[in-house]
Amino acid sequence: MPSHGSPHMASPQAGRQEAAVRSWRPVTSSEFLVQPVMADVVSARRTVVRIVREWRLALPNEQLEDLELLSGEVIANAVRYAGTTCAVAVRSDGTRVRVEVTDTSPVRPRPREASPDSEGGRGLFLVDALATAWGSADDPAGKVVWFEVGTPTAPGATAPGKQPAPWSTPGTWTITATDGTSASGYLPAWAEDDPTETDVPPDELPQRLALIDHRSLFDGPTMPITAPGRWDDTEDDAVFEPSIHCAPNHPNPGLRVPVANLQVSDGRWIIGLDPGALTEIAGKLRSHADLLDHEVRPALIAALDDWTAHHPQ
């Protein structure tokens, strides 16, 4: 995939951002293709993290988690809206990681125009909040959307948006607009993200509120997964990953209280098992059933009780 010189930033800080991009020179890179199947997005985002881990960069686990999350959002948007194979390039200059996703659609992302229930808008708001820098550019194939995580080394290489430290006010989140308008709500202790934010444009406040998703993540068991017809090798990947979510402003009332989700690895197979390997898989599934029954279910019940206590009818 060709290197892209100075992409145009969808941000008021475009001039400073573009200058920073021109000075950025990767010292190592890796590229791969993602088929136009949503089920391949999970494997793709894990591939990005695996590549970066193999480079042994000094990135904290929090930034690796952001890298995986943002890779999934950007790749998912390319798969969902372009509908064709996309190319993913992972690059690093030693302190930062840059992910470029090239697809065949010429339509550049515009997060401000996303409706509250738009999947693309939700993903771009995450990118805007968590990435060190991000942007998009025209490409002969269509367009490239890129983001970076890590320590900026050039002046002005700061994120297009800003997010305060999590847990700024224990038990409460607050989103404040530039005109002084604010909204706040209950922040459960089990939630792993704090939506607190300041300096939000007033017209974007409703979207920020619609995107609030309190969540708590649990690990799923890793299995030797393959996808016949897509790739021949096996890859350890998590299946049945449970999580608890609560979207207090969701249009569906059933999702305004805590619920459990299970992310199933769709379109994947575990093949070629002998009796011993089958026993090992069965043991993992039994252990995971115990996790669901003895950890996730009590956590969900406690989350529901806690939510009800703070939101009486």
Side-chain angles (χ1 to χ4, degrees):
M1 191 172 76
S3 176
H4 305 283
S6 54
H8 300 290
M9 300 297 297
S11 164
Q13 301 174 350
R16 298 199 308 273
Q17 296 280 353
E18 193 164 329
V21 171
R22 291 194 193 100
S23 67
W24 197 87
R25 294 291 183 271
V27 296
T28 186
S29 65
S30 182
E31 303 171 3
F32 62 95
L33 298 179
V34 179
Q35 299 302 313
V37 180
M38 288 303 298
D40 287 357
V41 173
V42 173
S43 176
R45 76 187 191 196
R46 294 183 186 279
T47 297
V48 171
V49 175
R50 186 177 68 248
I51 289 171
V52 173
R53 287 188 184 278
E54 289 174 352
W55 290 342
R56 300 187 181 278
L57 302 178
L59 291 181
N61 287 334
E62 181 180 355
Q63 288 185 339
L64 289 173
E65 291 171 1
D66 288 347
L67 177 67
E68 181 174 353
L69 174 63
L70 300 183
S71 295
E73 294 291 348
V74 175
I75 295 170
N77 278 350
V79 170
R80 181 180 294 113
Y81 297 114
T84 59
T85 300
C86 64
V88 179
V90 187
R91 312 188 192 281
S92 176
D93 65 353
T95 61
R96 286 174 294 167
V97 174
R98 176 178 173 128
V99 177
E100 300 175 355
V101 180
T102 303
D103 62 52
T104 58
S105 170
V107 180
R108 303 268 288 275
R110 297 178 61 87
R112 290 190 177 186
E113 295 182 356
S115 61
D117 59 351
S118 169
E119 290 295 329
R122 293 173 67 92
L124 290 175
F125 275 126
L126 282 174
V127 174
D128 193 54
L130 298 178
T132 303
W134 76 277
S136 62
D138 295 330
D139 185 88
K143 71 170 178 300
V144 58
V145 178
W146 61 271
F147 70 88
E148 296 174 6
V149 298
T151 303
T153 56
T158 55
K162 53 185 176 180
Q163 184 86 352
W167 309 109
S168 52
T169 306
T172 303
W173 58 262
T174 302
I175 299 178
T176 306
T178 54
D179 64 358
T181 304
S182 67
S184 61
Y186 173 60
L187 182 62
W190 51 264
E192 298 184 8
D193 301 300
D194 183 348
T196 293
E197 192 172 3
T198 60
D199 298 329
V200 174
D203 60 336
E204 293 184 9
L205 183 58
Q207 292 178 321
R208 295 292 205 275
L209 297 176
L211 296 175
I212 292 175
D213 179 16
H214 305 310
R215 62 178 184 169
S216 180
L217 308 179
F218 301 81
D219 292 331
T222 57
M223 303 287 183
I225 304 296
T226 189
R230 297 176 187 170
W231 71 78
D232 297 327
D233 296 332
T234 60
E235 177 180 316
D236 283 339
D237 201 356
V239 297
F240 297 111
E241 288 186 301
S243 56
I244 294 175
H245 293 261
C246 178
N249 301 310
H250 199 281
N252 180 358
L255 299 180
R256 296 175 193 166
V257 298
V259 296
N261 295 335
L262 286 175
Q263 179 171 271
V264 181
S265 184
D266 184 33
R268 305 295 195 269
W269 295 81
I270 304 173
I271 61 176
L273 300 175
D274 59 24
L278 188 60
T279 298
E280 181 180 354
I281 294 295
K284 289 185 176 182
L285 292 175
R286 277 191 288 269
S287 296
H288 191 55
D290 288 340
L291 171 72
L292 296 178
D293 198 29
H294 301 306
E295 293 188 37
V296 179
R297 184 173 179 273
L300 177 61
I301 292 172
L304 281 165
D305 290 343
D306 174 73
W307 192 261
T308 301
H310 288 83
H311 299 80
Q313 296 293 332

